[in-house]
Coordinates of all heavy atoms in Angstrom, one line a residue:
V155 N 79.0 152.1 86.4 CA 78.2 150.9 86.8 C 76.9 150.9 86.1 O 76.2 151.9 86.0 CB 78.0 151.0 88.3 CG1 77.1 149.8 88.8 CG2 79.4 150.9 89.1
V156 N 76.5 149.7 85.6 CA 75.2 149.6 84.9 C 74.4 148.5 85.6 O 75.0 147.4 85.8 CB 75.5 149.3 83.4 CG1 74.1 149.0 82.7 CG2 76.2 150.4 82.7
S157 N 73.2 148.7 85.9 CA 72.3 147.6 86.3 C 71.3 147.4 85.2 O 71.4 146.4 84.4 CB 71.6 148.0 87.7 OG 71.0 149.3 87.6
T158 N 70.3 148.2 85.1 CA 69.3 148.1 84.1 C 69.6 148.9 82.9 O 69.1 148.7 81.8 CB 67.9 148.4 84.6 OG1 67.9 149.8 84.9 CG2 67.5 147.6 85.8
G159 N 70.5 149.9 83.1 CA 70.8 150.9 82.0 C 69.8 152.1 81.9 O 70.0 153.0 81.1
S160 N 68.9 152.1 82.8 CA 67.8 153.2 82.8 C 68.4 154.5 83.1 O 68.0 155.5 82.5 CB 66.7 152.9 83.8 OG 67.2 152.7 85.1
T161 N 69.4 154.6 84.0 CA 70.0 155.9 84.3 C 70.8 156.5 83.1 O 70.7 157.7 82.8 CB 71.0 155.7 85.5 OG1 70.3 155.2 86.6 CG2 71.6 157.1 85.9
L162 N 71.5 155.6 82.4 CA 72.2 156.1 81.2 C 71.2 156.5 80.1 O 71.4 157.5 79.4 CB 73.1 154.9 80.7 CG 74.3 154.6 81.6 CD1 75.0 153.4 81.1 CD2 75.3 155.8 81.7
R163 N 70.2 155.7 79.9 CA 69.2 156.0 78.9 C 68.5 157.4 79.2 O 68.2 158.1 78.3 CB 68.2 154.9 78.8 CG 68.7 153.7 78.1 CD 67.5 152.8 77.6 NE 66.8 152.2 78.8 CZ 67.2 151.1 79.4 NH1 68.2 150.4 79.0 NH2 66.5 150.7 80.5
A164 N 68.3 157.6 80.5 CA 67.7 158.9 80.9 C 68.5 160.1 80.5 O 68.0 161.2 80.3 CB 67.4 158.9 82.4
Q165 N 69.8 159.9 80.4 CA 70.8 160.9 80.0 C 71.0 160.9 78.5 O 71.9 161.6 78.0 CB 72.1 160.8 80.7 CG 72.0 161.0 82.2 CD 71.6 162.4 82.6 OE1 72.0 163.4 81.9 NE2 70.8 162.6 83.6
G166 N 70.2 160.1 77.8 CA 70.4 160.0 76.3 C 71.6 159.2 75.9 O 72.1 159.5 74.8
L167 N 72.0 158.3 76.7 CA 73.2 157.5 76.3 C 72.9 156.0 76.0 O 71.9 155.5 76.5 CB 74.2 157.5 77.5 CG 74.7 158.9 78.0 CD1 75.6 158.8 79.2 CD2 75.3 159.7 76.9
E168 N 73.7 155.4 75.3 CA 73.6 153.9 75.0 C 74.8 153.2 75.3 O 76.0 153.7 75.1 CB 73.1 153.7 73.6 CG 74.2 154.0 72.5 CD 73.8 153.6 71.1 OE1 72.6 153.2 70.9 OE2 74.6 153.7 70.2
I169 N 74.7 152.0 75.8 CA 75.8 151.1 76.1 C 76.5 150.5 74.9 O 75.8 150.2 73.9 CB 75.4 150.0 77.0 CG1 74.8 150.6 78.4 CG2 76.5 149.0 77.3 CD1 74.1 149.6 79.2
F170 N 77.8 150.4 74.9 CA 78.5 149.8 73.7 C 79.7 149.1 74.3 O 80.2 149.3 75.4 CB 78.8 150.8 72.7 CG 79.9 151.8 73.1 CD1 81.3 151.5 72.9 CD2 79.6 152.9 73.8 CE1 82.3 152.4 73.3 CE2 80.6 153.8 74.2 CZ 81.9 153.5 74.0
G171 N 80.3 148.3 73.4 CA 81.6 147.6 73.7 C 81.4 146.5 74.8 O 80.3 146.2 75.2
P172 N 82.5 145.9 75.1 CA 82.5 144.7 76.1 C 82.3 145.1 77.5 O 82.4 146.3 77.9 CB 83.9 144.1 75.9 CG 84.7 145.3 75.6 CD 83.9 146.2 74.7
V173 N 81.9 144.2 78.3 CA 81.8 144.4 79.8 C 83.2 144.6 80.3 O 84.2 143.9 80.0 CB 81.2 143.1 80.5 CG1 81.3 143.3 82.0 CG2 79.8 142.9 80.0
I174 N 83.4 145.7 81.1 CA 84.6 146.0 81.7 C 84.9 145.1 82.9 O 86.0 144.6 83.0 CB 84.7 147.5 82.1 CG1 84.4 148.4 81.0 CG2 86.0 147.9 82.8 CD1 84.1 149.9 81.4
L175 N 83.9 144.9 83.7 CA 84.1 144.1 84.9 C 82.8 143.7 85.5 O 81.8 144.5 85.5 CB 84.9 144.9 86.0 CG 85.1 144.2 87.3 CD1 86.1 143.1 87.2 CD2 85.6 145.2 88.4
E176 N 82.7 142.5 86.0 CA 81.6 142.0 86.8 C 82.1 142.1 88.2 O 83.0 141.3 88.6 CB 81.1 140.6 86.4 CG 80.5 140.5 85.0 CD 79.1 141.0 84.9 OE1 78.6 141.4 86.0 OE2 78.6 141.0 83.8
S177 N 81.6 143.0 89.0 CA 82.1 143.2 90.4 C 81.2 142.6 91.4 O 80.0 142.4 91.2 CB 82.3 144.7 90.7 OG 82.9 144.9 91.9
T178 N 81.7 142.3 92.6 CA 81.0 141.8 93.7 C 81.8 142.2 95.0 O 83.0 142.6 94.9 CB 80.7 140.3 93.7 OG1 79.8 139.9 94.7 CG2 82.0 139.5 93.8

Side-chain angles (χ1 to χ4, degrees):
V155 176
V156 175
S157 51
T158 63
S160 58
T161 301
L162 293 173
R163 286 194 296 272
Q165 294 295 323
L167 305 178
E168 68 175 7
I169 296 169
F170 69 91
V173 172
I174 303 169
L175 177 71
E176 295 284 357
S177 184
T178 188

